[in-house]
């Protein structure tokens, strides 16, 4: 059962402390990711889409050449809930993952998603 309780301003501040790069604006939890270019933007959009579908909780996305803006709000209650915060954290985990230093995977040699 989803948690449909709209978070108070205090709980939102606490949540944002654990979500660097995210902000609350106009009633939405949002973040803009910058990518190295179009191909990475499309890969990121698809990764976010797959993650959101698995969670059955869907963000609004704005897509540009080298950026993706994610906006989260629980539509059925018209506010930000724990579901939005949890999905934001999962999207960050997917979008910002890079291989650990010293591992066999080298990682993308240029600026990655940030």
């Amino acid at each position: 059962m989803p948690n449909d309780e709209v978070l108070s301003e205090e709980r939102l501040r606490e949540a944002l402390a654990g979500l660097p790069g995210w902000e609350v604006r106009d009633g939405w939890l949002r973040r803009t990711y910058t990518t190295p270019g179009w191909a990475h933007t499309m890969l990121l959009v698809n990764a976010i889409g797959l993650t959101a579908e698995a969670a059955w909780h869907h963000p609004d996305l704005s897509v540009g050449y080298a950026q993706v803006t994610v906006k989260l709000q629980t539509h059925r209650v018209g506010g930000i809930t724990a579901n939005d915060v949890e999905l934001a954290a999962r999207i960050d985990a997917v979008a910002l993952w890079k291989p650990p230093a010293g591992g066999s995977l080298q990682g993308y040699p240029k600026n990655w998603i940030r």
Side-chain angles (χ1 to χ4, degrees):
M1 184 74 148
N3 181 351
D4 285 342
E5 177 186 343
V6 175
L7 299 179
S8 66
E9 285 188 35
E10 180 181 345
R11 290 192 55 208
L12 276 174
R13 277 192 301 276
E14 292 170 3
L16 285 173
L19 292 170
W22 289 83
E23 66 175 339
V24 174
R25 188 175 356 142
D26 300 326
W28 294 84
L29 181 60
R30 60 190 295 150
R31 177 177 181 152
T32 297
Y33 295 94
T34 303
T35 72
W38 179 251
H40 290 88
T41 297
M42 296 287 61
L43 290 167
L44 178 57
V45 165
N46 283 291
I48 291 169
L50 184 65
T51 301
E53 187 64 15
W56 196 245
H57 192 62
H58 306 100
D60 286 10
L61 302 177
S62 297
V63 180
Y65 173 80
Q67 71 177 22
V68 178
T69 299
V70 179
K71 292 176 28 181
L72 288 161
Q73 181 188 80
T74 300
H75 301 288
R76 69 181 159 271
V77 297
I80 300 168
T81 68
N83 300 322
D84 302 301
V85 172
E86 188 172 344
L87 184 56
R90 177 58 57 195
I91 290 170
D92 262 0
V94 170
L96 301 175
W97 180 85
K98 293 191 316 190
S104 61
L105 298 173
Q106 294 178 350
Y108 189 68
K110 300 178 183 176
N111 286 334
W112 187 236
I113 297 167
R114 52 193 199 294

